[in-house]
Amino acid sequence: MYLDPALASANRADPRPASAVSRGVGLAGLAGLAGWIAVARHFGMDGPYAALVGVAACGVPMVLWSLLVDKVHRHRSTGIDWHMRRPLRATIDISLVKLTGLWATWAAITLAYAVGRFYWQGNFQFAMWCLERAAPPLLVLSIPYTIWLDRRLVEPRDGAWALGAWLLGQGAPDREAIWNHLRSWAVKGFFLAFMLAIVPSGFGDFVRADPAAVLRDPVALANWLITFMFVVDVAFATVGYLLTMRPLDAHIRTANPYAAGWTAALICYPPFILMNPGGPLDYHPGTADWTAWLAGYPIALALVGALLVALTAIYAWATVAFGLRFSNLTNRGILTHGPYAWSRHPAYLSKNLFWWLSTLPMLSTGSLVDATRATVLLGVVSAVYYWRAKTEERHLSADPDYRAYDAWMTRNAPIPRAFAWIAGR
């Protein structure tokens, strides 16, 4: 393949900023998950326990790759000095205060789960079942883990410690550290329950499918592959919310401090979601999906199905690229590789294109009013995701690594440059 020397020289002169996550860690997780899915399909294991094993099969290879190949535990960003061994008597008081703050946070999350009737209905019952059984060992293990880590942390007085010190009346509170700690755990508590709730359904649907029937029908094949992409996305996202740990350099640096960012994100997820059936942004009434409009045109069905699969693959790829670090509303290191070398928000872009193409809201089974309403509402949904993207950029712009990435994207990335050209900039 011919490479323009001028282009190659420009790329060397303006290299893309380094990514906080390697390509290998995501590939390791994908290989582990694919291997387990093959085993589950062979033996017909399509239940919720098998789905949880799938999450582990995704996470364990990523942890091993991160530690053994990428050696992330040696990154300065972990805040750990492995050569330092403070005596226990020097850190035990800090650890006890930190455990006070950590356990108080867990108690608040538990209270929210217990009070929220929503968490004990539907798929969320499975999430609560998982968390109920995980809570006792986590409570016990948090003691040696905290004591062990505090002896090696450069600064062990973090947000959990600040909260514990405030609860115990030890001096003036560090409000910024406390609020960042609470926001970080609010993200983890809210989204981990959601991810655990949806782990079994997609996994079971994919494993149970009959390949012979799927391969005979382009629509069934497209839907089956789309299901697989969502299985990948959910597994990686669940691992990301589970493993927010400093030794893996996957801890939350900061959680979004802006109310607009939280509002834009939460209205896209239950129980606050506005796009569900019957919700104020439900654009589905009066519409039919792509299979209805293209019925009787097998080539068109195959082409559109392939495009929808490709868009979902980009969406899943955007999650895989995070490796161990996926989560909403947080900064856990800046990604610059994979789809993030093409777009700052590849998941949002591909997701919205998928909705427009699969729904075709400008076509209606009812009246012109229905078509107009559906088109406007889906436009508002896309605007919500644009708003969400901008609130994330505002949060991440506090990080100099993101500012360097953002500037590089403006100069080099195809999609931002295309949008700039369209806008006449």
Side-chain angles (χ1 to χ4, degrees):
M1 181 179 69
Y2 175 74
L3 179 63
D4 185 345
L7 179 60
S9 176
N11 288 339
R12 287 194 297 270
D14 191 12
R16 186 171 71 244
S19 184
V21 180
S22 74
R23 294 177 177 86
V25 63
L27 293 175
L30 191 59
L33 177 60
W36 173 248
I37 288 174
V39 171
R41 282 188 56 81
H42 179 74
F43 290 102
M45 295 184 290
D46 60 353
Y49 299 149
L52 286 179
V53 174
V55 173
C58 177
V60 170
M62 288 199 289
V63 170
L64 294 176
W65 184 281
S66 297
L67 295 176
L68 301 179
V69 179
D70 294 339
K71 302 186 186 305
V72 296
H73 57 291
R74 297 181 181 177
H75 292 178
R76 291 184 61 184
S77 51
T78 62
I80 301 172
D81 182 351
W82 296 103
H83 299 292
M84 181 164 49
R85 300 288 191 278
R86 291 191 185 93
L88 179 60
R89 63 179 178 275
T91 59
I92 186 63
D93 288 345
I94 295 174
S95 298
L96 293 176
V97 172
K98 181 180 292 187
L99 285 167
T100 300
L102 181 63
W103 290 351
T105 305
W106 289 358
I109 293 173
T110 302
L111 179 62
Y113 288 154
V115 171
R117 187 183 302 274
F118 172 80
Y119 284 112
W120 299 96
Q121 299 173 350
N123 292 342
F124 276 91
Q125 293 180 77
F126 176 72
M128 294 301 104
W129 178 89
C130 293
L131 294 173
E132 277 184 313
R133 279 147 186 80
L138 285 176
L139 190 67
V140 173
L141 291 173
S142 67
I143 300 172
Y145 174 78
T146 300
I147 293 172
W148 169 77
L149 190 59
D150 282 348
R151 296 180 64 194
R152 294 159 177 82
L153 283 174
V154 175
E155 178 47 78
R157 293 175 174 84
D158 58 10
W161 179 88
L163 177 61
W166 175 67
L167 291 173
L168 296 172
Q170 298 183 5
D174 184 343
R175 297 183 184 278
E176 183 176 349
I178 292 172
W179 280 115
N180 188 62
H181 166 79
L182 293 176
R183 288 193 299 267
S184 299
W185 275 99
V187 168
K188 190 177 176 78
F190 180 84
F191 287 103
L192 179 57
F194 173 72
M195 299 314 302
L196 288 171
I198 62 177
V199 161
S201 56
F203 182 88
D205 290 343
F206 184 78
V207 169
R208 283 190 295 270
D210 178 7
V214 165
L215 294 174
R216 287 195 298 266
D217 181 356
V219 173
L221 177 60
N223 287 331
W224 190 56
L225 293 175
I226 288 169
T227 299
F228 173 70
M229 301 305 170
F230 282 117
V231 169
V232 171
D233 169 71
V234 170
F236 273 82
T238 305
V239 170
Y241 287 113
L242 283 169
L243 297 181
T244 52
M245 303 176 70
R246 280 188 179 273
L248 297 174
D249 200 23
H251 57 292
I252 297 173
R253 278 72 162 167
T254 58
N256 196 315
Y258 303 113
W262 284 79
T263 302
L266 293 180
I267 63 177
C268 299
Y269 295 91
F272 309 108
I273 188 167
L274 301 184
M275 301 81 168
N276 264 7
L281 296 184
D282 178 14
Y283 54 86
H284 295 95
T287 67
D289 68 12
W290 61 286
T291 59
W293 299 116
L294 299 177
Y297 301 92
I299 294 177
L301 283 170
L303 290 174
V304 173
L307 185 53
L308 291 174
V309 170
L311 288 171
T312 317
I314 294 170
Y315 176 75
W317 183 22
T319 306
V320 170
F322 276 89
L324 295 169
R325 304 191 192 195
F326 180 87
S327 67
N328 286 292
L329 292 169
T330 61
N331 178 4
R332 297 171 67 182
I334 305 304
L335 272 65
T336 67
H337 71 289
Y340 295 93
W342 291 75
S343 168
R344 296 180 184 88
H345 304 281
Y348 296 165
L349 183 60
S350 59
K351 180 187 293 189
N352 278 273
L353 288 174
F354 180 98
W355 288 333
W356 281 95
L357 183 59
S358 63
T359 306
L360 299 172
M362 64 290 300
L363 303 177
S364 177
T365 58
S367 64
L368 180 61
V369 172
D370 292 325
T372 303
R373 181 187 298 113
T375 302
V376 169
L377 287 176
L378 185 50
V380 174
V381 170
S382 295
V384 167
Y385 276 85
Y386 178 80
W387 176 35
R388 188 173 168 185
K390 289 304 178 183
T391 63
E392 291 178 3
E393 291 174 10
R394 183 186 179 194
H395 167 219
L396 295 175
S397 291
D399 187 334
D401 290 341
Y402 183 81
R403 293 197 296 271
Y405 162 73
D406 180 62
W408 185 91
M409 291 290 285
T410 300
R411 295 190 301 270
N412 298 281
I415 293 177
R417 292 182 66 186
F419 281 136
W421 178 79
I422 293 170
R425 296 194 300 272

